[in-house]
Amino acid sequence: MSIIVFGSINIDLVATAPRLPVAGETLLGEDFFKVSGGKGANQAVALAKLGIHTQMVGRVGADDFGVELINNLQASGVQIGNIFVDETVSSGVAIIAVNHAGENQIIVIPGANGCVNQEDVERLSYLLPEATALLLQLEIPIAAVVAAAKAARKTKITVILDPAPAQSDLPDELYPLVDIITPNEVEASQLVGFAVDGEELAAKAAGVLLQRGVKCAIVKLGAKGVFCATAEEKFFVPAFPVHAVDTVAAGDAFNGGLTAALVEGLSLHQAVVWGAAAGALATTKPGAQTSLPDRFTFDAFLRERAVGSGEIREIHL
């Protein structure tokens, strides 16, 4: 059985500077590098590096970036047979600025990602009978995301949605198709229409998402931790303290760790801990896919911190 990731595949062009520019300002940067990215591809690599059999479904352009992106996915252990090379557009590109605190600003040019359509969903559908979960994000057209979730629901596999980039107008029909939704504070705020800052407001936001039909809402609060709620339980997992240098792909690493734990039969509690650990590790290195931990590093990180049930705080509301 495998995990399917349906989503974006980008080249990331990353510039570092002491701080992020304000509107109209030109800053002298410090460094530049080019790495493979895209939220879909990042999550596929996150899973593959943790030893999970992973299929990537998406599109790249018929350009040098497209060749590089496919090669990098394959080198990371991701199955690439269902990536379509679109000769009509360029590959997707993300332009990223990162400051010394690890904070970032990102502009995404969708390219081939913006052309993902029902044909891609049909290719995806052939893989579903042999899959245990489908991971979705919002860097491809929303119509394709909804269609993929519907296809997964018919085959009764788990649907995990990372609602990023942040949107306030997700279709109402999408929520009941989602088993687990994993917004960060900004994304949760956009979804529910009020600012989400801290555990109490994360709990309120999670409640709204559950009311809309999602079965499990996980709100990522960055260095503050993670709040998780289902109809049966609510709990909080504190963040792992690390020295963050770049938060790019931390959310994707979280979804990789979360899903890997669920695939291996661990509880939801432990899966959230795994997600938090993978996300923390990703912030300790620059770049997107280059920052994602392999299984040896990940297991060592958990052992060093003696992770267990004591990391989880049950909440009774």
Side-chain angles (χ1 to χ4, degrees), residues 152-171:
R153 177 60 61 213
K154 288 180 181 178
T155 55
K156 298 181 179 179
I157 73 167
T158 301
V159 176
I160 300 174
L161 173 65
D162 184 355
Q167 295 187 17
S168 58
D169 56 351
L170 282 186

Side-chain angles (χ1 to χ4, degrees), residues 144-213:
V145 173
V146 173
K150 287 181 177 178
R153 177 60 61 213
K154 288 180 181 178
T155 55
K156 298 181 179 179
I157 73 167
T158 301
V159 176
I160 300 174
L161 173 65
D162 184 355
Q167 295 187 17
S168 58
D169 56 351
L170 282 186
D172 291 339
E173 64 178 325
L174 180 57
Y175 290 101
L177 301 172
V178 174
D179 292 288
I180 302 174
I181 193 168
T182 62
N184 63 21
E185 290 171 296
V186 173
E187 294 145 8
S189 300
Q190 289 283 345
L191 291 174
V192 302
F194 56 83
V196 176
D197 181 15
E199 185 179 331
E200 183 176 344
L201 289 170
K204 181 180 177 182
V208 171
L209 297 173
L210 293 177
Q211 290 173 0
R212 293 179 184 175

Side-chain angles (χ1 to χ4, degrees), residues 158 160 180 257-269 271-272 274:
T158 301
I160 300 174
I180 302 174
L258 174 84
T259 307
L262 294 174
V263 168
E264 296 192 7
L266 299 182
S267 69
L268 178 62
H269 295 73
V272 175
W274 275 38

Side-chain angles (χ1 to χ4, degrees), residues 4-7 57 116-118 120-122 124-125 128 134-137 140-155 157-159 174 177:
I4 304 170
V5 180
F6 185 51
V57 181
V116 171
N117 58 31
Q118 187 61 36
D120 303 283
V121 176
E122 290 172 2
L124 164 74
S125 297
L128 290 173
L134 171 67
L135 272 63
L136 300 168
Q137 318 80 35
I140 58 175
I142 192 64
V145 173
V146 173
K150 287 181 177 178
R153 177 60 61 213
K154 288 180 181 178
T155 55
I157 73 167
T158 301
V159 176
L174 180 57
L177 301 172

Side-chain angles (χ1 to χ4, degrees), residues 41-52 54 76-78 240 242 246-258 260 264 273-302 304-305:
N42 291 346
Q43 291 182 18
V45 171
L47 281 160
K49 283 190 170 184
L50 292 176
I52 306 300
T54 306
S76 297
V78 177
F240 289 88
V242 294
D246 182 356
T247 59
V248 171
D252 301 323
F254 179 95
N255 276 37
L258 174 84
E264 296 192 7
V273 172
W274 275 38
L281 271 169
T283 69
T284 63
K285 293 183 179 180
Q289 292 172 23
T290 53
S291 72
L292 300 170
D294 59 33
R295 188 55 180 262
F296 178 83
T297 303
F298 179 75
D299 287 347
F301 184 83
L302 291 181
E304 289 169 4
R305 284 151 183 80

Side-chain angles (χ1 to χ4, degrees), residues 35 50 54 71 88 91 129-131 176 190 192 195 207 211 226 235 273 315:
V35 293
L50 292 176
T54 306
N71 288 343
T88 67
S91 296
E130 300 299 322
Q190 289 283 345
V192 302
Q211 290 173 0
V226 184
F235 60 90
V273 172
I315 296 172

